[in-house]
Amino acid sequence: MDNEKKHARASWSGKWAFVLAGAGSAVGLGNMWRFPYLDAKYGGGTFLLVYLICVFTLGISLLLQDIALGRNAKKSVVGVFSRYGKKYSIIGIIAAAVPFIILPYYNIIGGWVAKYTAAYISAGPAALADGGNFFVGFIGGGLESYLWMILFAGIVMAVIFMGVKGGIERINLILMPLLILMAIGIAIFTMTIPGALDGVKYFFTPDFSKMSPELILAAIGQCFFSLSIAMAIMVTYGSYVKDEESLTGSTAQIVGFDLLVSVLAGLMIVPGAFAALGSAEAVAAKSGPGLMFITLPQVFEHMGGAAQVVGFLFFLLALFAAITSAISIAEACVSIVADGMKCSRKKAGVIISVYTLLMGCLINAGYNVLSFIQPLGEGSSLLDLADFLSNTVMMPVVCILTCLFVGFVMKPKTLVDEIRKSSEFKLAGAWTVMVKFVAPICVLVVLVAYIAMQFGLISF
Ligand code: PHE
């Protein structure tokens, strides 16, 4: 409380509050559908192995960097960079733009998840497993999809208005443990379906003939998205951490949570897919939202009597994960506006609510009234564009610029000292090499390769 008054800035009430909120941000739709889909597509155990290596090298180092930057500055992302001179504020501005682009479309997908959760009860599992007509009818059909988006965004903003301690902390404290318990339950159930054990084997056994540059790029991209790195979000959450809380310990715990949920989601979906469709590739053949909203209901339908319960619980789980992630994105936006306009959280919350509603409606219109706009080629949507811009282009750019800023302007020692305020940091040397050289080079390679792939200049 003292801290809050002195700095007029909120703070977490303790270490667990921060770890749960950080895990709540990290654990999201990225774990629930993106990870299992990529794993199925890129050879199961092979992808898992490369992903683990990425997480324990790049992922953990960059997450620690984001959190330490936030706590060191006790400011939202713009202030973190502008403290070192006006010319660096551009990094903060690009970083700040990322959550503003993600928030509206994350709310739209959150609305889809909410709709499916409800539809498992009202329409039943068979209606959802009709090969895509239900999904296309829903997103293309007009009013209803807007209402679900507004409902989802409403829940998220309500938590934000309740504040950091009263809202964000409390909801994470309830939803995160529930999420883990449900995930363990569903994973155990799907692994025991006849035919599923082949999927479990596929999930864990590396097959080095499946290794490819594309697989490595996918693993690095997934690691960043899943840990909410370079999106101004962990910087914001880090700025609420008190000086006496250990940053290394919290970072490791957030990474652990995130990894656990990804592995559980993989164990829920990959073995189920094997049992239902005979191979994981059959599931991976459909990428993006299609996997979660079209193929998965078909997988559940194969579970017979259990389809309704498993389908409902799976989407409820995804809904919890999506809510806690969306809260973190909205909180980053609120904190940027409150700091930038020197206004109260409340006022910033109102501004963000209006913004997300207007932008959300615009992007959602890309599936119905504005569906003639196909910015990334045949069949693409405004949502695809927002996703491509934020995740594929801006996030790597922010990551590279942040690393170079820390490495050569701020100097890693500043953050090493910050981290050492509250814990030992034996790996400071390795971490410095990571953020100064390894990470920016790796991310640059990923960025160039992704863009070249998008425009058809290279293919693997
Ligand atoms: N990390 C979240 C996930 O895995 C997604 C996310 C992206 C959260 C951006 C916050 C910001 O789904």
Side-chain angles (χ1 to χ4, degrees):
M1 202 61 199
D2 268 342
N3 207 17
E4 227 175 289
K5 272 190 201 142
K6 250 189 277 162
H7 299 283
R9 188 169 191 78
S11 63
W12 305 110
S13 54
K15 178 169 179 251
W16 277 102
F18 168 57
V19 170
L20 282 180
S25 170
V27 172
L29 297 171
N31 307 61
M32 300 301 295
W33 65 264
R34 210 162 175 267
F35 178 82
Y37 143 65
L38 290 172
D39 182 89
K41 179 168 175 188
Y42 292 111
T46 324
F47 183 81
L48 181 63
L49 181 70
V50 176
Y51 181 71
L52 283 175
I53 296 172
C54 290
V55 167
F56 285 112
T57 52
L58 283 175
I60 205 165
S61 310
L62 294 174
L63 181 59
L64 181 61
Q65 172 174 266
D66 270 4
I67 294 172
L69 270 173
R71 188 176 75 177
N72 183 250
K74 295 261 184 336
K75 286 192 166 62
S76 68
V77 74
V78 181
V80 165
F81 298 98
S82 62
R83 289 189 304 162
Y84 283 78
K86 253 207 141 121
K87 59 177 183 264
Y88 298 113
S89 44
I90 183 72
I91 310 177
I93 291 169
I94 308 176
V98 179
F100 280 86
I101 299 176
I102 298 179
L103 183 63
Y105 83 77
Y106 210 86
N107 282 336
I108 293 175
I109 304 181
W112 299 348
V113 177
K115 159 78 185 175
Y116 267 60
T117 313
Y120 262 98
I121 298 180
S122 60
L128 299 176
D130 68 350
N133 293 335
F134 183 91
F135 182 60
V136 173
F138 168 59
I139 62 172
L143 197 63
E144 204 196 343
S145 61
Y146 292 86
L147 293 178
W148 283 100
M149 172 194 84
I150 293 169
L151 175 73
F152 182 87
I155 296 174
V156 170
M157 292 316 295
V159 175
I160 297 285
F161 279 112
M162 287 188 249
V164 171
K165 284 199 181 97
I168 304 179
E169 269 190 36
R170 247 199 271 161
I171 193 151
N172 280 300
L173 196 66
I174 301 167
L175 294 190
M176 290 310 289
L178 264 181
L179 191 144
I180 300 277
L181 283 180
M182 277 162 50
I184 293 175
I186 302 180
I188 291 177
F189 175 78
T190 46
M191 282 192 291
T192 54
I193 304 173
L197 272 185
D198 283 343
V200 178
K201 228 187 268 157
Y202 177 81
F203 183 76
F204 283 118
T205 322
D207 168 1
F208 290 101
S209 67
K210 298 251 169 74
M211 193 64 92
S212 70
E214 195 186 336
L215 180 156
I216 299 172
L217 294 184
I220 297 179
Q222 171 63 12
C223 161
F224 281 30
F225 183 77
S226 194
L227 290 173
S228 316
I229 289 168
M231 300 188 177
I233 288 159
M234 291 302 187
V235 176
T236 308
Y237 273 14
S239 75
Y240 304 150
V241 177
K242 292 181 188 155
D243 283 346
E244 60 272 18
E245 312 287 3
S246 156
L247 298 186
T248 47
S250 311
T251 304
Q253 277 150 354
I254 293 171
V255 168
F257 252 111
D258 190 62
L259 204 55
L260 176 70
V261 177
S262 286
V263 169
L264 286 173
L267 288 176
M268 282 187 253
I269 292 170
V270 178
F274 259 76
L277 308 168
S279 79
E281 281 89 350
V283 171
K286 278 213 161 87
S287 69
L291 174 81
M292 179 147 171
F293 298 99
I294 299 170
T295 316
L296 260 190
Q298 292 171 324
V299 170
F300 294 145
E301 185 60 6
H302 271 78
M303 298 177 181
Q308 187 160 28
V309 179
V310 174
F312 170 73
L313 284 179
F314 177 84
F315 278 97
L316 186 64
L317 195 76
L319 183 63
F320 287 175
I323 289 176
T324 53
S325 290
I327 288 170
S328 73
I329 309 171
E331 178 60 28
C333 294
V334 166
S335 124
I336 288 161
V337 169
D339 283 1
M341 297 177 48
K342 302 208 174 9
C343 66
S344 67
R345 275 182 60 88
K346 273 233 164 71
K347 192 163 164 211
V350 174
I351 294 173
I352 296 303
S353 304
V354 174
Y355 163 80
T356 189
L357 225 61
L358 293 179
M359 269 307 261
C361 286
L362 178 71
I363 295 176
N364 200 36
Y367 286 109
N368 32 75
V369 281
L370 297 179
S371 61
F372 58 89
I373 306 177
Q374 303 188 347
L376 295 178
E378 188 64 30
S380 68
S381 62
L382 284 173
L383 190 148
D384 294 330
L385 175 68
D387 183 57
F388 174 73
L389 266 184
S390 54
N391 285 308
T392 312
V393 182
M394 294 173 72
M395 193 222 8
V397 169
V398 170
C399 180
I400 295 168
L401 292 176
T402 308
C403 285
L404 294 179
F405 172 83
V406 170
F408 301 95
V409 179
M410 179 184 225
K411 305 284 188 260
K413 183 157 185 319
T414 315
L415 291 188
V416 170
D417 291 343
E418 178 65 41
I419 294 163
R420 286 199 169 135
K421 268 189 200 164
S422 49
S423 63
E424 277 191 42
F425 189 25
K426 291 207 184 98
L427 293 174
W431 178 82
T432 304
V433 175
M434 197 63 154
V435 297
K436 229 172 151 170
F437 306 109
V438 181
I441 293 170
C442 288
V443 178
L444 187 64
V445 172
V446 173
L447 175 65
V448 172
Y450 262 172
I451 292 183
M453 257 158 54
Q454 185 68 32
F455 291 101
L457 301 175
I458 51 165
S459 64
F460 294 109

